[in-house]
Amino acid sequence: TAPRMDDDHFGEAVDVHGDRIAVGAVWTEARGEKSGAVYVFDHDGVGWQQSAQVIDSGGRALDHFGSELDLHGDMLLVGREAESGGDSGPILFRRNSGGEWVEDARLLDSETDPNSARIVEIVLNNTAALVAVEEGGGDDTVLGVVTFEKDADGAWSEHSRGEVGRGADADGGKLVLASVGDRFYLGMPGGAVGAVKHWLADPRLCAEDGRCV
């Protein structure tokens, strides 16, 4: 376990599920300078106790592991910025019967260039995950959402992708994702008119008006 530091950016990302909290600390030196880590806390009925430190076993310096995260029961999806280049897809961890968080899958999409894209938001439920990715900048910005699904054998794979914003309105990754049961919500606060899009993961992300990602 890498020790906490005064300047580890603890709190860069936070999520709560029941009696469990996950907190990203993207400058923790778990696997090198600013490689990052996620700290998990469980409530024991009296107070909050740290129960785990989750790191990327293949992580490198400047990965900023923990920049985005989503906690769903015994599953934890963690994003990275990966300034060092290479693979920057989020990593899914599952808590085993012994209380350890073990890597379950690496969610890598087929089209995103890791050298020009960054993860801006992620969300997870029992059978699907959404990853919002921003590429480019300014008028050339493209904001998209990649969906992943878990099959009957428990394997995760890319299912679909769709563009949700382009140009200056999408610059800065102004998008919020949330999930409730089998429903996902995409908040788009950027631009002249804000909106919240409501999608169903069954099996594609389909809005009530029939549009699908």
Side-chain angles (χ1 to χ4, degrees):
T1 300
R4 286 282 320 283
M5 303 179 298
D6 291 338
D7 60 347
D8 60 5
H9 281 218
F10 181 82
E12 183 80 12
V14 179
D15 198 26
V16 181
H17 192 275
D19 290 335
R20 182 169 293 148
I21 298 176
V23 183
V26 296
W27 282 12
T28 297
E29 296 182 351
R31 300 289 295 180
E33 181 186 5
K34 300 178 183 178
S35 56
V38 173
Y39 294 87
V40 180
F41 299 84
D42 286 287
H43 200 279
D44 60 6
V46 178
W48 293 97
Q49 306 295 330
Q50 181 181 327
S51 57
Q53 182 200 56
V54 182
I55 64 173
D56 175 9
S57 60
R60 298 179 296 179
L62 304 180
D63 270 0
H64 296 172
F65 177 83
S67 60
E68 300 289 341
L69 58 84
D70 193 63
L71 178 66
H72 188 79
D74 287 338
M75 295 191 297
L76 174 65
L77 186 61
V78 184
R80 302 168 288 166
E81 294 180 357
E83 288 184 14
S84 56
D87 163 27
S88 60
I91 304 173
L92 179 65
F93 295 86
R94 184 178 298 276
R95 187 174 181 268
N96 64 20
S97 58
E100 297 178 314
W101 291 89
V102 296
E103 183 178 317
D104 190 41
R106 290 180 178 249
L107 307 185
L108 306 176
D109 71 272
S110 59
E111 298 182 27
T112 301
D113 180 358
N115 295 312
S116 63
R118 69 183 184 96
I119 296 172
V120 296
E121 187 80 357
I122 54 180
V123 70
L124 172 72
N125 68 14
N126 287 327
T127 58
L130 275 66
V131 180
V133 179
E134 180 192 44
E135 296 186 83
D139 292 340
D140 296 324
T141 300
V142 176
L143 189 60
V145 174
V146 185
T147 70
F148 298 85
E149 288 187 343
K150 182 173 70 171
D151 63 23
D153 295 325
W156 289 81
S157 61
E158 180 184 341
H159 182 272
S160 59
R161 60 187 298 122
E163 181 182 309
V164 295
R166 178 177 287 270
D169 285 348
D171 190 21
K174 301 179 180 71
L175 185 148
V176 179
L177 298 174
S179 69
V180 179
D182 64 349
R183 299 173 183 267
F184 289 99
Y185 296 85
L186 284 71
M188 298 287 292
V193 180
V196 175
K197 298 181 179 180
H198 171 207
W199 307 87
L200 294 174
D202 186 28
R204 292 187 298 165
L205 295 178
C206 296
E208 291 183 321
D209 61 5
R211 294 176 296 110
C212 297
V213 171

